[in-house]
Amino acid sequence: MDLQNKVAIITGGSGGLGMAAAKAYLAKGAKVAVFDLQEGDAGALAEANPGQIKYYETNVTSEENVAANINQVVEDFGAIDVCINCAGFGPSAKTYSSRKGPHPLDQFQNVINVNLVGTFNVLRLAVEKMSANEGEEKGVIINTASVAYMDGQKGQAAYSASKAGIVGMTLPIARDLAELGVRINVIAPGLMGTPAMMAMPEDFRQGLERLVQYPKRLGQPEEFALLATQIAENPYLNGETIRLDGAIRM
Ligand SMILES: NC(=O)c1ccc[n+]([C@@H]2O[C@H](COP(=O)([O-])OP(=O)(O)OC[C@H]3O[C@@H](n4cnc5c(N)ncnc54)[C@H](O)[C@@H]3O)[C@@H](O)[C@H]2O)c1
């Protein structure tokens, strides 16, 4: 897909990886709709790029909120061609801790709800709009998992389950959407140097960097964004999960 003048929704677009993807898509000449709970830097980016990017206050877990905003994007920009899901979070809790007791069930359910159900909620409604597009290739979906979908650590039961769910639903969705001409792929980042990660104490960060094979550093949000453009641009890439992790195995 040539991204020039295409329209991309980016959930979590006010965050580290989503914002980098928004900038990369703008640089390709695409228009960007940021779906996030908070505006963050999306407001400043919209001021610097009038008519090219807009922030929509969105909770990805809400059917009504997402449906209304998807309709608004089509009204504002005319279509939806790409759906990038970055909204997510990963609070840590052990399955059982002798100090804190069993993992709070509502916390487990909330992580699944935002990371997995929220991703599916947005993509299913975006696909409805993609189906109205002209041409053979009608749309591209890019979901964000994590290497924790395979290599989850202590305290990551909920997060890893949510990310494994994102990977697990990819092939059936690719099959469901093949007749429409919509592709779906997943990026599974390793440790990325987002602003939040870079704000951690330096010795802690260096400890993490030692786990990476090569290049021996955290990934850059721009490298995530580069892959998010390459996935859209390569028409034969479908149903795949790509680790973007410097060969880290945690
Ligand atoms: N940064 C990393 O090292 C890393 C590694 C692997 C995977 N990931 C995944 O990449 C994605 C983006 O990570 P990030 O580092 O940019 O995180 P981030 O916290 O900087 O951004 C996440 C964004 O999602 C938004 N969000 C959270 N819940 C939402 C909801 N219910 N509705 C709408 N928006 C919501 C937040 O407001 C935030 O702006 C996440 O899914 C994360 O799990 C990140």
Side-chain angles (χ1 to χ4, degrees):
M1 176 180 285
D2 176 2
L3 291 173
Q4 181 77 34
N5 290 323
K6 295 294 193 304
V7 181
I9 292 176
I10 306 181
T11 76
S14 303
L17 300 185
M19 175 58 63
K23 289 177 180 166
Y25 270 64
L26 288 176
K28 288 277 181 184
K31 302 199 170 80
V32 174
V34 171
F35 280 20
D36 202 301
L37 289 172
Q38 49 179 355
E39 185 170 27
D41 291 340
L45 201 56
E47 266 178 40
N49 298 273
Q52 302 297 302
I53 168 169
K54 187 172 163 187
Y55 167 70
Y56 302 76
E57 188 176 346
T58 311
N59 184 339
V60 295
T61 64
S62 162
E63 286 197 71
E64 303 77 43
N65 182 200
V66 172
N69 286 347
I70 293 246
N71 284 335
Q72 192 58 48
V73 172
V74 174
E75 223 167 89
D76 292 339
F77 292 122
I80 294 171
D81 304 285
V82 181
C83 174
I84 304 177
N85 285 296
C86 289
F89 75 127
S92 171
K94 283 170 97 176
T95 305
Y96 175 78
S97 143
S98 50
R99 203 161 49 83
K100 295 184 181 164
H103 192 305
L105 190 59
D106 61 345
Q107 183 178 317
F108 189 95
Q109 287 167 329
N110 197 24
V111 173
I112 300 290
N113 200 30
V114 173
N115 295 3
L116 177 58
V117 182
T119 294
F120 188 70
N121 184 32
V122 175
L123 76 85
R124 80 196 169 96
L125 294 168
V127 163
E128 188 178 20
K129 303 298 180 191
M130 289 173 180
S131 70
N133 291 342
E134 306 262 305
E136 189 196 330
E137 188 180 40
K138 297 215 167 18
V140 179
I141 298 160
I142 300 169
N143 290 337
T144 309
S146 157
V147 295
Y149 93 88
M150 295 181 84
D151 305 347
Q153 304 297 297
K154 244 186 224 170
Q156 286 193 312
Y159 184 69
S160 295
S162 72
K163 297 303 190 180
I166 286 176
V167 172
M169 71 181 174
T170 305
L171 185 59
I173 294 174
R175 289 177 165 148
D176 286 346
L177 304 184
E179 62 189 346
L180 278 181
V182 174
R183 295 185 288 117
I184 175 169
N185 292 285
V186 178
I187 302 176
L191 300 170
M192 306 302 285
T194 52
M197 194 68 112
M198 297 313 275
M200 288 193 175
E202 197 172 335
D203 55 341
F204 180 75
R205 207 180 65 232
Q206 284 169 350
L208 294 176
E209 283 170 350
R210 277 195 284 278
L211 300 172
V212 186
Q213 295 304 313
Y214 178 81
K216 222 161 188 56
R217 58 169 173 77
L218 302 185
Q220 293 163 358
E222 293 73 20
E223 290 163 340
F224 172 88
L226 177 64
L227 184 53
T229 59
Q230 290 167 332
I231 287 173
E233 287 174 340
N234 190 324
Y236 205 61
L237 201 51
N238 193 12
E240 186 56 280
T241 297
I242 303 170
R243 290 180 63 127
L244 183 70
D245 66 356
I248 197 171
R249 294 294 180 272
M250 296 176 75

